[in-house]
DNA sequence: GGTAGACCTGGACGC
DNA sequence: GCGTCCAGGTCTACC
């Protein structure tokens, strides 16, 4: 007999929309079921792995969230599960009024919370597996890390004990192998401290500098990890941003010029730049592929990016 | 400080 | 089915 938790979300929280708001909901060990609109994933809770299924009691903003565990959880495990789920769903961001004042386009819908992982370490590894590879490659790497090392996503300790060659040959992470092991060793040594990164008394610049010093983390990855930490002032610009600038914003020129103009375009959103940028990009995907909560992870979930949409369009054009 | 090339994988494409 | 080409961000060497 498992355990059942009930969580009261912010009143504008719509589970299916706010979970399916950032690509990581499609990455293992997360499993989104478009039929039931539930998210299932194993989670390590004090030496036991519990498979949690999360859903909303009613398909309405603010309705209670229900977390069903396949095993009985003691009080400490329930506290930990609640804490991890709240991190993933960003339920700590109770009040989106500042973002909605800065960018009123999303006020009516209540959009603004972007899905993330239960731990900062998982977010960092997922970001490294998202660099210099197509989205399908990112999905494969995360699936194999879970298959080969741990179904609940490898912990820093587990990864720190792996040989880079094992990650390369069995998990398909390629040249990222040594960087991932080095990151895990730093995490085990306590050098990746989420409290410090999230502490608002530390400036964005200080956080960015420290992230850039981590192995495998460059400008794009640092900016992406910053938004995952709730710091939205930096834009994580990649090739998708260039396509967004060219196809949606209508900018012309070389990639560098378009990147510069995309940056200028989002200046107006100040410390909320990333959220405005991301919701624009995500709306572009949803306009073409339907609401993200309807995406089947095995099909649309692998092919929703603008790069693949452009290829599909090219293939369809005689 | 700026730039070029290597890193690795998977998918598209041509034969 | 096989070989080739290309996309993708970070890192290092070099100017």
């Amino acid at each position: 007999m498992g355990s059942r938790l009930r969580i009261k979300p912010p009143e504008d929280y719509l589970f299916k929309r706010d979970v399916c708001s950032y690509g990581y909901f499609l990455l293992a060990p997360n499993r989104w079921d478009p039929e039931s609109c539930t998210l299932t994933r194993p989670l390590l809770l004090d030496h036991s792995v519990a498979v949690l299924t999360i859903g909303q009691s009613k398909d309405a903003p603010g309705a209670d969230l229900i977390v069903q565990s396949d095993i009985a959880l003691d009080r400490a495990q329930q506290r930990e599960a609640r804490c991890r789920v709240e991190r993933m769903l960003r339920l700590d961001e109770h009040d989106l009024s500042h973002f909605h004042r800065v960018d009123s386009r999303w006020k009516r819908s209540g959009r603004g919370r972007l899905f993330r992982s239960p731990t900062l370490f998982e977010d960092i590894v997922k970001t490294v597996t998202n660099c210099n590879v197509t989205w399908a490659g990112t999905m494969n790497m995360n699936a194999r890390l879970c298959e080969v090392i741990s179904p609940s996503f490898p912990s820093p300790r587990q990864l720190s004990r792996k040989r880079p060659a094992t990650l390369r040959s069995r998990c398909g992470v390629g040249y990222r192998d040594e960087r991932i092991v080095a990151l895990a060793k730093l995490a085990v040594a306590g050098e990746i401290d989420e409290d410090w990164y999230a502490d608002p008394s530390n400036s964005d610049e200080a956080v960015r500098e420290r992230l850039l010093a981590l192995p495998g983390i460059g400008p794009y990855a640092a900016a992406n990890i910053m938004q995952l930490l709730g710091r939205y002032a930096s834009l994580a610009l990649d090739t998708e941003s260039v396509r967004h600038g060219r196809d949606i914003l209508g900018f012309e020129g070389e990639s560098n010029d378009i990147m510069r103009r995309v940056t200028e375009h989002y200046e107006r959103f100040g410390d909320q730049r990333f959220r405005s940028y991301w919701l624009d990009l995500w709306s572009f995907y949803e306009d073409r592929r339907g609401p993200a909560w309807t995406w089947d992870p095995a099909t649309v979930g692998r092919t929703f990016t603008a790069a693949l949409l452009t290829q599909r369009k090219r293939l369809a054009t005689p």
Side-chain angles (χ1 to χ4, degrees), chain A residues 16-301:
Chain A
K16 64 184 184 185
R17 177 198 67 197
D18 292 336
V19 165
C20 305
S21 58
Y22 193 67
Y24 289 6
F25 85 98
L26 294 161
L27 298 181
N30 299 312
R31 291 197 307 273
W32 175 255
D33 178 5
E35 292 292 318
S36 60
C37 284
T38 56
L39 182 78
T40 299
R41 71 161 285 155
L43 201 59
L44 182 64
L45 297 171
D46 191 24
H47 305 300
S48 304
V49 173
V51 178
L52 304 183
T53 299
I54 315 165
Q56 196 159 25
S57 56
K58 267 193 316 197
D59 185 20
D64 284 358
L65 302 173
I66 307 296
V67 182
Q68 180 70 48
S69 162
D70 66 332
I71 59 169
L73 305 176
D74 62 27
R75 276 178 184 270
Q77 289 173 319
Q78 287 185 23
R79 257 199 314 276
E80 178 71 4
R82 197 176 282 271
C83 176
R84 296 291 135 215
V85 169
E86 286 178 357
R87 186 184 195 279
M88 290 163 75
L89 308 185
R90 302 221 200 207
L91 301 183
D92 57 321
E93 296 196 15
H94 262 273
D95 183 8
L96 294 184
S97 60
H98 172 58
F99 170 53
H100 291 151
R101 263 197 309 278
V102 171
D103 189 346
S104 59
R105 294 175 300 162
W106 313 103
K107 184 175 178 180
R108 221 177 116 202
S109 66
R111 277 202 158 184
R113 296 181 189 85
L114 309 181
F115 183 79
R116 60 181 174 175
S117 302
T119 65
L120 173 62
F121 179 72
E122 185 175 327
D123 271 338
I124 291 175
V125 175
K126 279 183 158 55
T127 299
V128 170
T129 64
N130 191 23
C131 289
N132 200 27
V133 70
T134 59
W135 178 247
T138 303
M139 292 187 78
N140 290 343
M141 284 184 230
N142 280 273
R144 284 156 77 175
L145 284 168
C146 294
E147 279 165 24
V148 173
I149 302 173
S150 169
S152 57
F153 199 81
S155 67
R157 194 161 297 281
Q158 287 170 319
L159 277 175
S160 71
R161 291 173 177 160
K162 289 288 168 198
R163 286 186 303 128
T166 306
L167 295 188
R168 181 180 291 236
S169 61
R170 299 192 60 203
C171 304
V173 302
Y175 67 89
R176 300 164 193 80
D177 55 357
E178 290 188 3
R179 298 171 192 179
I180 291 173
V181 173
L183 281 167
K185 286 181 175 165
L186 286 170
V188 169
E191 306 258 332
I192 300 179
D193 175 8
E194 174 156 14
D195 290 341
W196 187 88
Y197 285 113
D199 183 348
S201 69
N202 294 317
S203 69
D204 280 358
E205 203 38 55
V207 169
R208 189 180 129 83
E209 249 179 58
R210 205 179 267 203
L211 288 171
L212 286 172
L214 295 175
I217 306 300
Y220 163 79
N224 193 55
I225 294 166
M226 286 179 74
Q227 70 85 6
L228 291 163
L229 284 160
R231 294 175 181 268
Y232 301 109
S234 309
L235 289 182
L237 295 177
D238 60 4
T239 49
E240 287 288 297
S241 322
V242 175
R243 267 181 285 271
H244 177 66
R246 190 177 286 136
D247 298 345
I248 304 303
L249 302 175
F251 300 147
E252 293 176 351
E254 296 297 314
S255 292
N256 283 348
D257 299 327
I258 293 177
M259 289 266 202
R260 183 179 47 75
R261 295 197 60 190
V262 169
T263 304
E264 287 167 2
H265 179 81
Y266 286 97
E267 290 273 310
R268 73 190 78 169
F269 300 110
D271 64 358
Q272 300 295 311
R273 286 183 193 96
F274 183 84
R275 282 207 264 219
S276 292
Y277 158 76
W278 183 257
L279 290 176
D280 277 350
L281 200 64
W282 200 249
S283 300
F284 167 82
Y285 300 146
E286 291 195 320
D287 282 350
R288 280 149 187 81
R289 309 306 299 271
W293 67 76
T294 65
W295 297 355
D296 171 14
T299 54
V300 182

